[in-house]
Amino acid sequence: MASVYRTEDCQFTVDRDALIRRLGEALQGDNLLVDDEAMRPYECDGLSGYRQMPQVVAIPETVEEVRQVLRTCSEMNVPVVARGSGTSLSAGALPHPQGVLLSLARFNQILDIDHDRRIATLQPGVRNLAISEAAAPYGLYYAPDPSSQIACSIGGNVAENAGGVHCLKYGLTVHNVLEVTMITMDGEQVTIGSEALDSPGFDLLAAITGSEGMLGVIVEIKVKLLPNPPTKDVLLAAFNDVETAGNAVAGIIAAGIIPGGLEMMDGPAIQAAEDFVHAGYPTEAAAILICELDGSADDVEAQREHVCRLLEEFGSEDIRVAQNDDEKARFWAGRKAAFPAVGRISPDYYCIDGTIPRRQLAYVLQEMQKLSDDYGLRVVNVFHAGDGNLHPLVLYDGNVPGEFERTEELGGKILELCIAVGGTVTGEHGVGMEKINQMCVQFQTPDLNQFRALKNAFDPQGLLNPGKAIPTLNRCAEFGAMHVHHGELPHPDIPRF
Amino acid sequence: MTSNDHGDTLAQQVADAADNGTPLCIRGRGSKDFLGRTPKGDVLDLSAHSGIINYEPTELVLTARAGTPLAELEAALSESGQMMPFEPPHFGDASTIGGTIAAGLSGPRRPWAGSARDLILGMRLINGQGENMRFGGEVIKNVAGYDVSRLATGSYGTLGVVLDVSMKVLPLPEAEVSLRLDHTEVDGFNAVEQAFRAGLPVSGAAHDGEQLRVRLSGTKLAVDAGIRHLGGEQDDDPTTFWHALRDHRLPLFTDDGPALWRLSLPPLPDTPDLPGKRLADWGGQQHWLRTDASPEQVFGEAERLGGHATCFRGGDREGDVFQPLSPGVRRLHERVKTAFDPKGILNPGRLYAGI
């Protein structure tokens, strides 16, 4: 297939033989892959619809090697794409055709669990779940829990500002990272943030978090750990229509309750999950809510009674409280397995990641249904209901010519719908290559210019992950020619051709 | 809701200043003129750019213009049983949300509820070229584009003029108590940490050298459990001490004396080895100190303890007021400043000389 990169993002001049020679000097042993066969596993990340071979794959083992790779690439003007576990759902770690794919997989050590002070010091390749496992003996855990947590790396989590099902109460990655040490494109090591609760000067840590590998390469991370809540209760409530379930979510929050997790699944998602994991979900329901309450035992008991009352008032006729740990795990199992469950009922699926103001849920679902009908593609919904983050899953068959392209287009329309109701194109998966066109709809020219100026402050040569996350104005002009935003064309000041 | 949007006029004023190379001193109602290095330049007045733009309690989001007084926001929020979790300090009645966010200030609840920057969701910002920009949004989960809203929080107006802010708000606690306990500082903060680990709703922990003060906020049951766990005596009014601490109305802050310093430190730090009167807040992670020690001595001690110091009130406002940056981080600051304000007209020197 043709490259998904635009010609304007591929204006580098690469002498591959010289690059291999120089990197071979910088890296020891077998830390440089140059054969197609060896590089093949790196041609895509979790969004496998997009594939691209790099020039070479570098797998350094030491910080010094990372510095040497970056210095070399800076001197030779070669692009660099950093990669953790490669679980990105937005093609954030898609290689650049003229560049080096820099894998940080060998930085997989937990350097310290300081349980007294609740701080973990990590190499970037450490898996998300491994942090909580290492902290568990001390009654601690790391809060952000993306559904890929068994595989995804903390370095990737920081690069993407990863979320999970507990964000409403415990925040995203940006709220849980204390400090990062990174190497800038010119090979300089800087430490940003600290173990204190704030740092002097600009909040560069916030700029780095979620910067999608475009500002620097992270080589060490400190995160804060939280105590495991003494008690957790899990409730499941069934509703006859999705709108009523949405109202119940608003009602719980209006009553002053912030659940640890509050998830919604629609009818097709319930059915798929039930067929897969047999969680005992009510398959006749149009929507279910899964609500996790955590805290001290007394507190959880009071909240549980309150929430049950509210769910009933808001029209749920089937409210279940998990009676033991097994049942709690079962209530969650269906939700956590929703993606693979959908994978069983369709040859392929495409996961979307928009966020909307919750009050727009009924309208957005209705409009999505229309789009689904128009495109002849089924859409199944799972939803981080507490914080408005939607994950519509579009079902398609990649073997049918043109179906992936239609799916992509439908995905784009859904994201634009999210923007139109006051939301955003990405809640937690990042822009990457996938949503870059929709960035033109969400942001105006001065905003995009400012993003580029900020990028330029860190990486003046534009070598880190080029062609992703922040669209060029040319791209927006071409894409925007087809779109009208708030009654006017975005970026009216750009010549169109 | 009121409509006092002066965004376009303000942007034009900044654009004109950029053309003329005129430095601007960004000002709301002036309650924080004492903060940072000496303000310089023509005043860019944001006080009229005021009012709540959008507040939807069930979405947990509020958007307001920079000149809106904190008191107005708090009144609107409490009507719906909600609050700004970062507990912004009021330095007098005039404090606005714009100044609070520009200075990145958070109150006693911060270690357990998050900081101003943690709660920021989006921002409208004028850069140094007078361009009106919008970042983030009004939803809780949003990772589109660089997180400029958080980058600008606490930048003292040196990256842009904060026009509007959107922030996450949370329900007011059902119950709240303030306890006094006869613990030493170290033992006291350890006891608070143990209470937090036991799932108790700690929302404040300070030590004034005499007594440990602990605030609990949550459901009635959880607060009662906390009282049983910690013991001690209850204040008659649970807000008096904590608001006085938040707003710097305790004697340590109001008495005559040498410069007031703030030290921000890692968890469970050693006691700072500096002369003068001291009060510890944030479970020991924020210390307020009235000291004659030289800036070099205070910055040095903060660095030794793994944190940083700010000369908050008094002292030499022409010298370094904020902890000096490492050379690599300083270089990034210079480049980021240029990216937002190439002419260097926005609050020049308020944060660091040359920034």
Side-chain angles (χ1 to χ4, degrees):
Chain A
M1 78 190 260
S3 174
V4 293
Y5 282 88
R6 289 166 59 87
T7 313
E8 66 176 337
D9 295 323
C10 301
Q11 301 295 322
F12 302 92
T13 312
V14 186
D15 178 346
R16 185 166 189 257
D17 292 338
L19 178 68
I20 291 172
R21 197 172 58 246
R22 291 280 304 274
L23 290 178
E25 289 162 12
L27 296 164
Q28 50 185 312
D30 55 356
N31 296 357
L32 186 68
L33 310 181
V34 297
D35 299 331
D36 279 3
E37 200 183 338
M39 294 198 295
R40 189 66 67 193
Y42 297 89
E43 72 172 345
C44 69
D45 56 23
L47 183 54
S48 57
Y50 294 166
R51 288 168 194 272
Q52 175 64 58
M53 290 289 274
Q55 293 285 318
V56 299
V57 175
I59 317 175
E61 282 179 54
T62 65
V63 173
E64 188 49 35
E65 284 188 340
V66 174
R67 290 170 70 132
Q68 289 305 327
V69 170
L70 292 177
R71 273 210 187 110
T72 303
C73 290
S74 179
E75 282 168 27
M76 300 182 76
N77 208 43
V78 171
V80 177
V81 176
R83 174 185 167 114
S85 301
T87 58
S88 168
L89 292 172
S90 58
L94 182 77
H96 189 280
Q98 296 179 301
V100 174
L101 191 283
L102 179 67
S103 167
L104 292 148
R106 289 187 181 150
F107 288 82
N108 59 1
Q109 298 300 304
I110 294 174
L111 300 175
D112 185 38
I113 300 285
D114 182 345
H115 56 90
D116 285 333
R117 303 193 309 154
R118 293 194 279 108
I119 295 174
T121 305
L122 312 157
Q123 290 190 326
V126 170
R127 291 175 306 111
N128 173 294
L129 188 60
I131 307 166
S132 290
E133 285 171 352
Y138 310 104
L140 303 172
Y141 76 111
Y142 175 63
D145 58 346
S147 53
S148 57
Q149 70 175 158
I150 191 165
C152 64
S153 69
I154 185 67
N157 288 178
V158 174
E160 301 292 329
N161 193 10
V165 298
H166 294 99
C167 292
L168 180 66
K169 189 164 179 182
Y170 296 106
L172 287 89
T173 303
V174 72
H175 301 107
N176 291 278
V177 170
L178 295 168
E179 180 187 297
V180 301
T181 299
M182 67 171 202
I183 312 293
T184 56
M185 194 58 219
D186 54 11
E188 189 169 345
Q189 180 169 324
V190 284
T191 295
I192 288 166
S194 74
E195 292 181 351
L197 289 169
D198 42 41
S199 294
F202 302 150
D203 201 328
L204 297 177
L205 191 58
I208 304 298
T209 308
S211 64
E212 307 202 16
M214 296 177 67
L215 303 183
V217 175
I218 295 165
V219 293
E220 194 177 303
I221 299 160
K222 289 186 182 179
V223 300
K224 79 172 176 193
L225 302 172
L226 288 178
N228 281 314
T231 312
K232 273 186 195 176
D233 263 5
V234 185
L235 283 66
L236 189 153
F239 290 86
N240 290 330
D241 66 84
V242 175
E243 190 171 359
T244 317
N247 292 340
V249 171
I252 290 169
I253 286 164
I257 296 164
I258 303 296
L262 189 55
E263 298 287 308
M264 190 190 294
M265 296 166 72
D266 73 358
I270 299 166
Q271 186 69 57
E274 183 57 25
D275 291 346
F276 184 32
V277 298
H278 310 294
Y281 284 178
T283 49
E284 68 290 352
I288 58 168
L289 288 180
I290 299 167
C291 176
E292 182 175 286
L293 300 165
D294 61 10
S296 64
D298 292 339
D299 212 11
V300 169
E301 190 182 335
Q303 291 196 19
R304 185 187 64 226
E305 285 169 12
H306 196 169
V307 170
C308 284
R309 214 159 53 237
L310 288 165
L311 289 168
E312 205 178 321
E313 278 170 32
F314 278 91
S316 174
E317 286 171 9
D318 181 2
I319 302 164
R320 306 173 191 177
V321 180
Q323 298 300 319
N324 50 50
D325 287 350
D326 271 359
E327 203 173 359
K328 286 176 198 171
R330 218 164 44 244
F331 282 6
W332 269 119
R335 167 61 187 89
K336 291 196 169 172
F339 291 10
V342 166
R344 290 172 74 242
I345 61 170
S346 172
D348 298 287
Y349 67 92
Y350 187 86
C351 176
I352 296 164
D353 176 42
T355 304
I356 57 167
R358 243 183 300 93
R359 63 182 179 280
Q360 303 283 2
L361 178 63
Y363 172 75
V364 168
L365 289 174
Q366 185 190 321
E367 292 299 302
M368 273 202 295
Q369 188 56 52
K370 284 186 201 159
L371 286 168
S372 162
D373 295 344
D374 287 351
Y375 280 81
L377 293 164
R378 285 169 66 200
V379 178
V380 169
N381 281 292
V382 293
F383 183 33
H384 300 305
D387 49 38
N389 189 196
L390 290 169
H391 289 314
L393 304 170
V394 182
L395 312 188
Y396 74 100
D397 184 349
N399 289 324
V400 175
E403 199 155 298
F404 177 69
E405 287 72 16
R406 272 197 301 133
T407 301
E408 248 191 312
E409 199 180 307
L410 169 58
K413 297 278 184 209
I414 292 173
L415 294 181
E416 287 159 38
L417 174 62
C418 293
I419 300 170
V421 300
T424 176
V425 297
T426 174
E428 55 183 1
H429 294 172
V431 175
M433 183 61 86
E434 182 203 19
K435 308 177 192 82
I436 190 160
N437 285 333
Q438 281 71 34
M439 287 291 283
C440 305
V441 185
Q442 185 162 339
F443 292 98
Q444 302 297 305
T445 303
D447 318 341
L448 294 171
N449 282 338
Q450 190 62 70
F451 284 146
R452 254 187 304 281
L454 178 60
K455 154 84 170 166
N456 195 46
F458 284 82
D459 173 23
Q461 291 171 276
L463 296 178
L464 286 166
N465 221 359
K468 309 244 185 85
I470 311 297
T472 60
L473 296 186
N474 281 333
R475 178 192 276 271
C476 287
E478 281 173 41
F479 180 74
M482 302 174 288
H483 287 74
V484 177
H485 181 53
H486 295 319
E488 55 187 60
L489 280 170
H491 320 291
D493 43 331
I494 301 169
R496 277 157 218 283
F497 25 80
Chain B
M1 310 231 165
T2 53
S3 172
N4 289 308
D5 189 343
H6 298 275
D8 291 342
T9 315
L10 290 161
Q12 189 56 51
Q13 284 175 269
V14 175
D16 291 345
D19 285 345
N20 303 328
T22 312
L24 293 175
C25 169
I26 306 161
R27 196 164 186 268
R29 300 193 178 201
S31 74
K32 287 179 273 293
D33 283 347
F34 69 89
L35 259 176
R37 298 175 76 251
T38 309
K40 291 180 178 126
D42 293 358
V43 170
L44 183 75
D45 182 357
L46 272 94
S47 60
H49 183 72
S50 169
I52 294 171
I53 299 169
N54 182 32
Y55 174 38
E56 197 73 47
T58 65
E59 303 280 342
L60 301 175
V61 174
L62 182 147
T63 300
R65 297 192 186 94
T68 316
L70 292 177
E72 185 181 329
L73 295 179
E74 284 164 350
L77 285 162
S78 76
E79 259 180 51
S80 296
Q82 296 189 334
M83 64 172 183
M84 289 179 272
F86 65 102
E87 205 175 11
H90 297 227
F91 296 133
D93 299 333
S95 283
T96 61
I97 189 64
T100 300
I101 296 304
L105 298 174
S106 308
R109 201 182 297 269
R110 187 265 172 263
W112 302 277
S115 62
R117 90 53 124 151
D118 287 339
L119 278 307
I120 279 289
L121 300 174
M123 194 180 271
R124 195 149 67 101
L125 193 70
I126 304 169
N127 68 10
Q129 288 156 299
E131 292 172 311
N132 209 318
M133 310 177 298
R134 191 184 291 277
F135 300 104
E138 295 190 302
V139 289
I140 287 166
K141 255 171 153 180
N142 183 359
V143 298
Y146 302 124
D147 198 343
V148 174
S149 312
R150 291 198 171 93
L151 173 65
T153 301
S155 68
Y156 280 81
T158 59
L159 297 180
V161 180
V162 176
L163 275 182
D164 310 336
V165 297
S166 298
M167 57 189 159
K168 181 178 168 185
V169 297
L170 283 177
L172 280 164
E174 176 188 308
E176 194 154 88
V177 293
S178 175
L179 303 173
R180 299 185 304 276
L181 296 104
D182 292 324
H183 279 301
T184 63
E185 189 176 321
V186 171
D187 289 351
F189 289 142
N190 276 320
V192 170
E193 171 69 10
Q194 293 318 312
F196 176 65
R197 290 190 186 210
L200 298 169
V202 178
S203 66
H207 199 284
D208 60 9
E210 305 278 320
Q211 278 188 311
L212 176 72
R213 303 275 191 155
V214 182
R215 182 175 58 184
L216 301 166
S217 316
T219 60
K220 180 84 173 55
L221 280 172
V223 167
D224 286 345
I227 298 169
R228 286 196 303 276
H229 179 99
L230 283 163
E233 286 178 74
Q234 285 184 40
D235 289 348
D236 294 335
D237 181 340
T239 62
T240 310
F241 171 79
W242 297 98
H243 286 185
L245 170 60
R246 179 192 76 184
D247 300 344
H248 288 192
R249 287 185 279 103
L250 295 172
L252 176 90
F253 301 105
T254 54
D255 287 353
D256 287 340
L260 174 70
W261 284 81
R262 168 182 185 265
L263 276 73
S264 176
L265 302 177
L268 308 177
D270 291 338
T271 308
D273 183 16
L274 291 165
K277 283 189 193 158
R278 188 173 56 81
L279 184 153
D281 191 10
W282 291 6
Q285 289 199 253
Q286 174 173 261
H287 294 249
W288 297 104
L289 179 69
R290 298 292 294 262
T291 186
D292 285 323
S294 69
E296 292 71 29
Q297 206 181 338
V298 183
F299 289 136
E301 178 64 2
E303 192 180 343
R304 185 184 73 83
L305 295 170
H308 66 98
T310 307
C311 184
F312 208 79
R313 277 183 203 265
D316 176 11
R317 319 291 313 169
E318 297 292 327
D320 270 327
V321 161
F322 298 97
Q323 184 90 20
L325 304 169
S326 71
V329 174
R330 165 84 199 189
R331 213 160 18 251
L332 286 175
H333 273 67
E334 288 166 2
R335 291 192 202 153
V336 169
K337 167 72 174 174
T338 305
F340 281 83
D341 178 20
K343 300 275 179 65
I345 58 159
L346 299 177
N347 278 0
R350 188 82 187 258
L351 189 56
Y352 290 102
I355 298 282

